[in-house]
Amino acid sequence: MNDPTAPSGNDAVENTAVVNTGAEAPDADDVVARVLASADSKAAGYSLFRSGAAQALQTHASGEYDGSEHDGDQSERADRNALRRVGGLSTELEDVTEVEYRQLRLENVVLVGVYTHGTVDDAENSMRELAALAETAGATVLDGLLQRRATPDPSTYLGKGKAQEVADIVKALGADTVIADTELAPSQRRALEDVVKVKVIDRTAVILDIFSQHAKSREGKAQVELAQMAYMLPRLRGWGDSMSRQAGGQVGGTGAGMGSRGPGETKIELDRRRIHTRMSKLRKQMVEMKPAREAKRANRKRNAVPSVAIVGYTNAGKSSLLNRITKAGVLVENSLFATLDATVRKSTTADGRLYTLTDTVGFVRNLPHQLVEAFRSTLEEVADADVIVHVVDGSHPDPVAQLATVRDVISEVGARDIPELVVFNKSDLISDDDRLVLRGLEPKATFVSARTGEGIDTVLAAVALLLPTPQIELDLLIPYDRGDLIAVLHDVGRIETTEYIETGTHVTAFVTPEIEPQFAPFVILPTLSA
């Protein structure tokens, strides 16, 4: 991904700065100018990876969703964007007096990836998505390197030559983090760090970091922390021998003498035990939260309120669609995993039947299994739904991968048999030719735009057809003091006729098996009606 025609580091203009050696403090403008000049000189000789925008994010001018009428005030968005890198400033200090002008350390990153099969376009799409993940986490992507290999190198993931090439890029650009487009083994991570001399993390660590930033509810924070602990446990490492200290004295063979015997447990074993203890507490907390969720779900089941779950790839527009339909005011942002906690809102069909719409966490390719396990309680909403609205970003360059990724997770939570309605969102950004291709992928799909409102009525009509309909016909005489039963019929049943007589309301209606027992005392028997 490096531009071979770019000037080399030796051809770059050399910037000189006056170093203040006296006691008096340097001028503020001189300090900032020196830091900016240093950043420019480090980056000379390499092309930026961001010459192409991350395709997982919407870059088209008309793609910015502006439906504030449906989205509410979106105050949380300002909080999330409050901590962002100041462009051009380095995080490294050349002079201790510059500490006042140093920004919060948010990483400058270089991406690396290896693809063993498929086309280069598929590999680049994955790298663009990794760039979008890094940007969502608050980092700045400087460059990227993609390699074709039969198998990843078991030692350094990239191989000795490419690892050294990455080290040169990191040194030239002044990067402080390398992100690998896979889940690295602990040994690969350590070996690659030894070569590039900066921190190395993998795709899973970036996703977990985004989740930790965006989790707001108590349950969401517990789920994310549990996933982070599960990821961290096999990756504990120490500096030097500090994590392996145990017994001292003559028994330990160290020759340190008597009185230096250790506590009998190494530091790394102690940390592992603490992580296991914390994970047990988190699991216990999540079990304690379960009755509250089940009580709400049981209340909906008791009243036979059907549930519709909105699922899809991250940044496909699920929250925008929910806001357009229900004016829920859920956070909408052009970033990955903007929504983590499930949001439930009620809606009604054209014939007056009540149902709930649930916005769920988004999915992504190579979603860490730790997150699937930790968010299983949230994904229960998908497994218990009556209808699944599968939202796909129609403007994405690889909608097939989005469909396959989401359906894999749906299968993993046991929801594959639930009726599915595929919705291609962002139709205002799709050409007629693209629509033909997408129609070939999913002939029964619906095209919508949460931004313009196109196709929303079609989606609601399709959902109404897929929802379970009342099938049991009852002839009822309901007393006037039981108006609550009439309300239930309006919400979850279907009323055919209504007649007000002296003894009560004579109703002919269709109901579901769940609510039929509560109407049994008011059924008019055929002999009595005659």
Side-chain angles (χ1 to χ4, degrees):
M1 291 194 180
N2 297 327
D3 186 0
T5 63
S8 65
N10 296 331
D11 296 329
V13 177
E14 184 175 350
N15 296 284
T16 60
V18 177
V19 180
N20 189 300
T21 57
E24 108 180 68
D27 184 68
D29 294 336
D30 293 341
V31 172
V32 174
R34 183 163 68 251
V35 175
L36 289 172
S38 173
D40 291 339
S41 64
K42 287 180 181 178
Y46 286 88
S47 62
L48 293 183
F49 176 74
R50 292 188 63 199
S51 57
Q55 293 180 0
L57 300 180
Q58 189 57 256
T59 56
H60 196 282
S62 63
E64 294 296 333
Y65 185 68
D66 56 4
S68 55
E69 174 188 350
H70 310 281
D71 291 335
D73 56 8
Q74 298 289 305
S75 58
E76 187 181 344
R77 186 188 301 171
D79 296 336
R80 287 195 178 176
N81 294 332
L83 292 179
R84 284 294 181 265
R85 175 179 287 277
V86 181
L89 289 184
S90 170
T91 58
E92 302 300 331
L93 297 179
E94 295 182 7
D95 189 329
V96 71
T97 58
E98 296 173 11
V99 68
E100 296 181 25
Y101 311 99
R102 181 179 59 178
Q103 63 165 5
L104 179 68
R105 188 180 183 101
L106 298 174
E107 283 91 342
N108 282 318
V109 302
V110 172
L111 311 181
V112 296
V114 171
Y115 67 106
T116 59
H117 57 276
T119 65
V120 67
D121 289 338
D122 293 337
E124 287 190 354
N125 280 338
S126 181
M127 287 286 281
R128 298 288 182 193
E129 186 174 272
L130 181 62
L133 288 167
E135 290 171 4
T136 302
T140 299
V141 179
L142 299 181
D143 208 340
L145 185 146
L146 193 59
Q147 182 187 23
R148 177 67 184 260
R149 290 177 63 99
T151 58
D153 185 74
S155 175
T156 60
Y157 175 64
L158 292 172
K160 185 177 180 180
K162 283 294 180 184
Q164 187 57 51
E165 185 177 342
V166 172
D168 295 339
I169 294 174
V170 166
K171 185 177 181 180
L173 296 179
D176 43 42
T177 304
V178 173
I179 305 178
D181 190 22
T182 187
E183 184 168 336
L184 293 175
S187 59
Q188 289 177 321
R189 178 183 169 188
R190 288 195 296 270
L192 192 55
E193 280 185 347
D194 291 340
V195 177
V196 299
K197 307 300 182 185
V198 295
K199 181 176 66 176
V200 175
I201 60 175
D202 55 21
R203 184 188 185 95
T204 301
V206 177
I207 294 175
L208 290 172
D209 186 76
I210 296 172
F211 271 59
S212 67
Q213 292 181 44
H214 292 182
K216 295 296 181 184
S217 68
R218 179 168 172 260
E219 184 175 10
K221 291 179 180 179
Q223 290 169 331
V224 172
E225 187 177 355
L226 180 61
Q228 288 176 315
M229 292 288 185
Y231 172 80
M232 186 191 307
L233 189 60
R235 291 171 173 81
L236 287 179
R237 59 176 298 185
W239 303 106
D241 296 329
S242 62
M243 298 287 274
S244 59
R245 291 177 180 165
Q246 187 173 16
Q250 298 175 352
V251 177
T254 61
M258 292 184 293
S260 60
R261 187 184 303 277
E265 186 176 29
T266 62
K267 180 67 166 59
I268 195 168
E269 288 171 347
L270 182 62
D271 287 349
R272 283 173 180 160
R273 182 162 54 82
R274 286 176 174 170
I275 290 177
H276 280 298
T277 302
R278 181 59 181 164
M279 290 174 68
S280 298
K281 289 182 179 179
L282 289 171
R283 291 193 181 100
K284 189 178 296 183
Q285 289 178 12
M286 293 170 63
V287 169
E288 293 171 353
M289 299 174 194
K290 190 173 183 179
R293 292 194 314 270
E294 291 181 340
K296 295 177 183 178
R297 197 176 296 124
N299 189 43
R300 296 197 296 264
K301 288 183 177 180
R302 183 170 61 254
N303 293 322
V305 179
S307 173
V308 177
I310 303 177
V311 304
Y313 212 76
T314 180
N315 210 45
K318 300 181 295 300
S319 299
S320 300
L321 186 62
L322 179 71
N323 288 346
R324 169 65 72 166
I325 295 173
T326 67
K327 297 185 179 179
V330 177
L331 175 71
V332 174
E333 190 176 23
N334 184 26
S335 66
L336 307 187
F337 300 115
T339 305
L340 297 187
D341 300 314
T343 303
V344 182
R345 294 291 184 272
K346 68 178 181 179
S347 185
T348 55
T349 62
D351 57 359
R353 285 179 290 148
L354 182 69
Y355 65 95
T356 61
L357 276 168
T358 305
D359 182 22
T360 60
V361 62
F363 306 134
V364 72
R365 73 179 78 193
N366 302 323
L367 187 68
H369 68 277
Q370 298 98 332
L371 281 175
V372 176
E373 288 299 320
F375 276 77
R376 189 166 293 278
S377 58
T378 300
L379 297 176
E380 287 174 1
E381 296 289 347
V382 179
D384 290 338
D386 296 289
V387 177
I388 291 177
V389 176
H390 183 171
V391 181
V392 183
D393 182 356
S395 64
H396 193 272
D398 193 6
V400 178
Q402 287 198 0
L403 282 164
T405 298
V406 175
R407 283 173 172 165
D408 286 344
V409 180
I410 290 175
S411 299
E412 194 169 343
V413 299
R416 199 65 188 94
D417 296 331
I418 299 174
E420 177 191 38
L421 173 64
V422 177
V423 173
F424 287 110
N425 192 23
K426 306 181 184 178
S427 60
D428 53 314
L429 304 178
I430 307 174
S431 66
D432 292 337
D433 293 339
D434 291 335
R435 290 191 182 224
L436 288 175
V437 174
L438 295 174
R439 183 68 70 186
L441 292 176
E442 291 291 333
K444 297 181 180 180
T446 304
F447 290 89
V448 304
S449 172
R451 175 176 174 270
T452 65
E454 174 195 348
I456 298 297
D457 292 337
T458 305
V459 171
L460 294 177
V463 168
L465 290 175
L466 292 174
L467 287 173
T469 56
Q471 300 291 336
I472 302 173
E473 185 177 6
L474 296 178
D475 191 16
L476 304 168
L477 181 60
I478 299 177
Y480 286 120
D481 61 351
R482 293 304 308 271
D484 58 311
L485 294 179
I486 299 295
V488 171
L489 289 177
H490 279 290
D491 288 340
V492 296
R494 189 172 77 248
I495 297 178
E496 295 293 315
T497 63
T498 303
E499 181 184 3
Y500 300 100
I501 60 177
E502 183 179 353
T503 55
T505 306
H506 182 201
V507 178
T508 303
F510 287 89
V511 299
T512 60
E514 290 83 2
I515 65 173
E516 181 189 9
Q518 59 185 306
F519 292 98
F522 308 104
V523 174
I524 301 176
L525 299 177
T527 55
L528 296 178
S529 62

